[in-house]
Every structure is written in C-alpha cells, then in structure tokens.
Amino acid sequence: MMLTEVDSKVLCLGYPIYKSSLDNLPLKSKLLVSTINQYSYCIAEEDADFKKALLGSDVILPDGVGITLAAKWLNGTSIKKVAGADFHEYQLKRLNENHGSCFYLGASSDTLAKIESRLKGEYPNIRFASYAPPFKSQFTDEENLSMIEAVNSFDPDVLFVGMTAPKQEKWSHAHKNLLNAKIICCIGAVFDFYAGTVERPSKVWRDLGLEWLGRLVKEPKRMSKRYLYYGVVYAVHLGRAKFSTEYEMIGKEVR
C-alpha cells in the first residue's frame, strides 16, 4: 500500500532518512528523491546550497553504510542501505511491469546511447528518452530551459538526473516545480554503472557493506580523498553528534 506522506523516516545527523521499503514510497506528484552517504553529508556541511537541496527533497535514501551505521549508533534505529543503483533498478522493474516511461538527463551522448541499448534489451516495455546537457559547472538560463523543455515534452513517469553531486541535487531542487515528472531522482554515477562505462563493485562487496572499498580499489586516485580523507571528517562529525547534548534530546524526541 502506497503512503501519501513520507512518514517513515528517522532523523539522523539532521536529515530525515527514509527507512521503509521502496514499495511504500509515497504517492504524490513530483516526488523528489535524493540519496545521502558519508561523503555527500560532509560536502553538504561545507556547501549550504547543497544542504538546502538535500533537506528540500521529499525522500532521502541512505546510500551508504556510513549513514546506516550512524542511524544505529546515534538513534538505535536499524535501516537498510538503498544505493542509487538499487533505486534505479527498482524503478526500471516497476516501469517495465506497468509499461511506464523514464527520461535520463545527464551524462554524454555516448553514455546515453549505451543506456538506451541496454534498456531495449532488458526492459522492452519502457518508453524512454534522454538529453545530454553541456558539460560545465553552471548552466545558462537558455540551457536550463532547453533541459526542462526536453523533459516536459516527453512527460516521463520517472526522471533520472545524473550530473554528479552536488550539481544534480541543486539543479533538481531549483527546477522541481517546473518539471513534469511523477518521480525526480538524483542518481549520479548510476548512469555510468548502467551504461557499463564504470564497473560497479560486485554483489559480494555490496553484501559485505564494502561497496565503498570496492570503488576505492578500482579507482584509487579518484576515490581516495572521498573515502579516506572525508572518512576521517565524517568520523569527527559522528563523534560530535554522539556526545552532543542537543543531539541526545533530538534522538529521544524522534524515538
């Protein structure tokens, strides 16, 4: 049974984290879904606009063991990790069953072509379209309008946004009310995972809660700062929260 409000959540590190099954996602138009992990949490602490975008989401999924462990340690609440790739797969299966539609906004034309090819083979009942925006840090008003018009002319059930964090979250939050889509979700690296241009760590790594380590091993140069440096920064944030009187009071109210 679908919920009409996002009332299944736990307040963790200041964010309302979704803790129910994806089957219970709320039924509402323009549902903005974001994910959070230890790295994005740390970046949001340094970027007020990114934090505003995350807090402005209708659903925030726990995309990392750092968040699930924090919920357990700080709140005593067990929640299951839901990676962007898992959410993407769930939506594709649902859309295929219902003969629904999706739109991919982001990545390069080459990556989108590979996604299209795979979709045709795996999910033949889905109508889909895509748009490759310019590769730049900030879009002009004209570019934003072109992106919005491309999405709205297709009117998808689900809009997948993959422009890397935090740009994708800021863009989706800023333009949510102008977009015609039942679900808008920021899934970043999933575009590359699904296209096969970047290999996602195997299920063994994921089941052990070590997907982050698998990515670090595969891409040490790119991922070392994210997981090693910001891993320490995140641990400091956790320690402060754990022994904060204010946080203890919030935790009691939530429970």
Side-chain angles (χ1 to χ4, degrees), residues 6-248:
V6 188
D7 55 5
S8 185
K9 59 192 176 185
V10 57
L11 188 64
C12 179
L13 293 169
Y15 292 88
I17 308 298
Y18 187 69
K19 65 176 183 178
S20 186
S21 164
L22 291 178
D23 292 330
N24 291 327
L25 279 173
L27 184 63
K28 64 174 288 186
S29 180
K30 300 186 181 183
L31 185 78
L32 180 57
V33 180
S34 296
T35 64
I36 190 169
N37 53 38
Q38 66 179 41
Y39 173 69
S40 57
Y41 171 82
C42 292
I43 297 302
E45 289 299 294
E46 304 170 358
D47 185 334
D49 289 336
F50 183 27
K51 187 168 187 175
K52 180 180 178 182
L54 286 176
L55 289 172
S57 302
D58 298 299
V59 174
I60 305 177
L61 300 175
D63 181 15
V65 293
I67 299 299
T68 61
L69 290 175
K72 185 67 175 178
W73 194 46
L74 299 175
N75 298 78
T77 304
S78 295
I79 58 177
K80 184 179 179 181
K81 172 189 170 185
V82 183
D86 301 324
F87 183 76
H88 175 252
E89 182 180 18
Y90 174 88
Q91 292 301 330
L92 290 183
K93 288 179 177 178
R94 182 182 68 84
L95 292 173
N96 195 58
E97 290 175 1
N98 300 330
H99 292 258
S101 61
C102 65
F103 192 100
Y104 288 82
L105 178 63
S108 66
S109 297
D110 181 59
T111 296
L112 292 174
K114 291 176 179 176
I115 289 175
E116 177 180 342
S117 176
R118 184 172 174 183
L119 273 177
K120 285 180 178 178
E122 294 184 343
Y123 302 100
N125 297 329
I126 296 178
R127 288 192 310 110
F128 58 88
S130 62
Y131 185 90
F135 185 72
K136 57 199 301 189
S137 60
Q138 194 165 352
F139 302 118
T140 65
D141 290 342
E142 291 77 14
E143 288 165 344
N144 283 324
L145 183 60
S146 294
M147 293 155 68
I148 293 167
E149 287 179 343
V151 173
N152 291 351
S153 63
F154 189 70
D155 193 22
D157 292 314
V158 180
L159 168 61
F160 295 117
V161 184
M163 304 176 188
T164 72
K167 182 169 67 172
Q168 62 193 9
E169 287 81 5
K170 293 179 183 179
W171 191 91
S172 298
H173 179 254
H175 300 96
K176 172 186 173 180
N177 293 331
L178 299 175
L179 293 164
N180 294 336
K182 294 181 179 67
I183 298 175
I184 304 164
C185 48
C186 306
I187 55 173
V190 178
F191 279 44
D192 287 319
F193 289 155
Y194 193 69
T197 53
V198 174
E199 185 180 359
R200 187 185 183 194
S202 70
K203 191 173 184 298
V204 174
W205 289 97
R206 303 199 298 270
D207 288 346
L208 290 172
L210 297 173
E211 182 169 3
W212 65 272
L213 183 57
R215 293 192 69 186
L216 179 61
V217 169
K218 289 178 179 294
E219 302 178 86
K221 187 175 181 180
R222 192 167 78 89
M223 293 295 170
S224 58
K225 184 174 182 180
R226 171 180 294 200
Y227 292 123
L228 301 181
Y229 171 76
Y230 278 107
V232 174
V233 172
Y234 183 69
V236 172
H237 282 298
L238 275 184
R240 288 175 179 168
K242 179 66 173 177
F243 302 107
S244 163
T245 304
E246 179 183 355
Y247 191 88
E248 287 176 2

